[in-house]
Amino acid sequence: MKKIISTPDAPAAIGPYSQAVEVNGTLYISGQIPMNPSTKKIPGGITAQADQVMKNIEAILKAAGFGFGEVVKSTCFLTDMANFKAMNEVYGRYYETNPPARAAFAVKELPLGVLIEIETIAVK
């Protein structure tokens, strides 16, 4: 059975999709951009943006009763691979041990002109 996950502690969907969907103990989190859910502002620079994305993911994980230790796969989208190292440093702070599988891609552009978006899958 499909359960829709939504929290005001992460940005609301900007289209016809859910923040996350849980099915049979697997949580699928839609790509998160670095929008602060309270102010609706996007911080400058890749380090601040990567940190905000991870905070948004954390809020959705928490709302669904999951944690970073249950994340099994992440997909990172960057508008510039020159930002990979800085993104990786921030990302690594959230996955200090047993990090999930991951892919990272350079893309032409992302919604609202952000530098990064990350989608996440977690399993209980």
Side-chain angles (χ1 to χ4, degrees), residues 14-92:
I14 57 174
Y17 61 90
S18 300
Q19 285 177 327
V21 175
E22 184 180 355
V23 178
N24 297 326
T26 300
L27 182 67
Y28 301 91
I29 299 177
S30 294
Q32 292 300 298
I33 62 171
M35 180 183 288
N36 180 305
S38 299
T39 66
K40 309 292 188 246
K41 295 192 180 196
I42 297 168
I46 188 62
T47 299
Q49 287 196 17
D51 191 53
Q52 184 62 59
V53 166
M54 297 305 292
K55 287 176 182 174
N56 294 342
I57 290 168
E58 184 174 37
I60 295 169
L61 287 166
K62 183 178 177 184
F66 285 72
F68 281 111
E70 293 158 312
V71 173
V72 296
K73 175 74 165 68
S74 295
T75 305
C76 304
F77 303 94
L78 299 162
T79 57
D80 187 343
M81 286 307 279
N83 290 329
F84 181 81
K85 182 179 179 191
M87 176 278 298
N88 216 33
E89 289 173 3
V90 173
Y91 182 93

